[in-house]
Amino acid sequence: MSSLETLLAEVRRCRICLEAPARLPPLPHLPRPVLQASADARLLIVGQAPGARVHATGLPFNDPSGDRLRIWLGVARDEFYDARKFAVIPMGFCFPGYDGKGSDLPPRKECAGLWRRRLLEKLPRIETIICLGRHAQAWHMPQFCRASLTETVRNWRAPYEGLRPRVLPLPHPSWRNIAWLRRNPWFASEILPLLRREVQTLTS
């Protein structure tokens, strides 16, 4: 078993947010860390945390958000789940539960603090990191984060051209951002063609 496989197995056994939570209530259900990675991957996708449907299936982006994301990437479902092409490591590995309004809670902080740098060290071929939403962007490109997600995505060239690996900030593909996509048609015309070229180059 490779060192990355050993680490992934350790992550999937993690129970810290249930047994030793950091300044937060314990996870309200049994942990089920969801991620995929291979040392061969050249693309890393970073989301927030699994939703309830992903938690139930154990498969990253196995929901309508994932369907939209695959359309953005221009890839079929089976290609997306090839870990040699796409590493998927969210900011939080387990479904964090719901807040009082029925929305998903933010990603648990324990995951990034305990595992993130160790996992990234095992992915030496990553050339581009796709950051979906504010939590991912704040961690992977803090010096380029603007006051709003719109400003951050609008100014995508700065982290894409200025960091190694390149970082491409995107909105999360959740249905909650459909109105944002309608208000910002430049996203589809300007960024999605670039994203698809990047994916084709790094997965072929």
Side-chain angles (χ1 to χ4, degrees), residues 3-186:
S3 57
L4 174 58
E5 290 172 332
T6 300
L7 182 57
L8 287 171
E10 190 177 350
V11 170
R12 290 179 176 124
R13 293 192 301 268
C14 182
R15 297 293 182 270
I16 187 172
C17 53
L18 186 65
E19 298 171 357
R23 300 186 302 279
L24 291 168
L27 196 69
H29 48 257
L30 290 177
R32 189 179 193 180
V34 179
L35 69 165
Q36 73 177 37
S38 163
D40 294 326
R42 299 166 68 192
L43 268 165
L44 169 60
I45 296 174
V46 183
Q48 298 187 149
R53 187 177 304 187
V54 170
H55 177 83
T57 63
L59 201 60
F61 285 102
N62 187 30
D63 55 14
S65 293
D67 295 338
R68 181 173 290 109
L69 175 60
R70 286 182 280 276
I71 291 171
W72 288 359
L73 299 171
V75 299
R77 184 180 173 88
D78 58 345
E79 185 177 8
F80 180 80
Y81 290 115
D82 184 344
R84 297 167 300 177
K85 295 183 176 182
F86 294 95
V88 183
I89 303 179
M91 294 306 301
F93 299 144
C94 295
F95 171 52
Y98 296 114
D99 64 17
K101 297 180 180 178
S103 298
D104 290 8
L105 288 165
R108 300 284 304 202
K109 297 183 181 299
E110 295 93 339
C111 297
L114 183 61
W115 300 112
R116 192 150 206 87
R117 295 192 186 281
R118 294 172 63 189
L119 285 164
L120 295 179
E121 288 172 358
K122 304 296 184 184
L123 301 175
R125 299 193 67 201
I126 295 297
E127 296 184 37
T128 298
I129 301 172
I130 298 169
C131 283
L132 304 172
R134 299 291 285 172
H135 294 286
Q137 292 157 14
W139 202 92
H140 283 277
M141 43 174 282
Q143 66 271 47
F144 296 105
C145 267
R146 303 298 182 95
S148 71
L149 181 137
T150 301
E151 291 179 273
T152 300
V153 177
R154 251 301 193 196
N155 291 277
W156 61 268
R157 288 179 180 83
Y160 182 76
E161 297 172 354
L163 295 178
R164 291 294 179 272
R166 296 181 292 272
V167 179
L168 186 61
L170 304 181
H172 195 277
S174 166
W175 63 270
R176 296 178 185 277
N177 283 328
I178 290 175
W180 186 95
L181 296 170
R182 289 173 179 160
R183 291 194 306 269
N184 297 280
W186 51 266

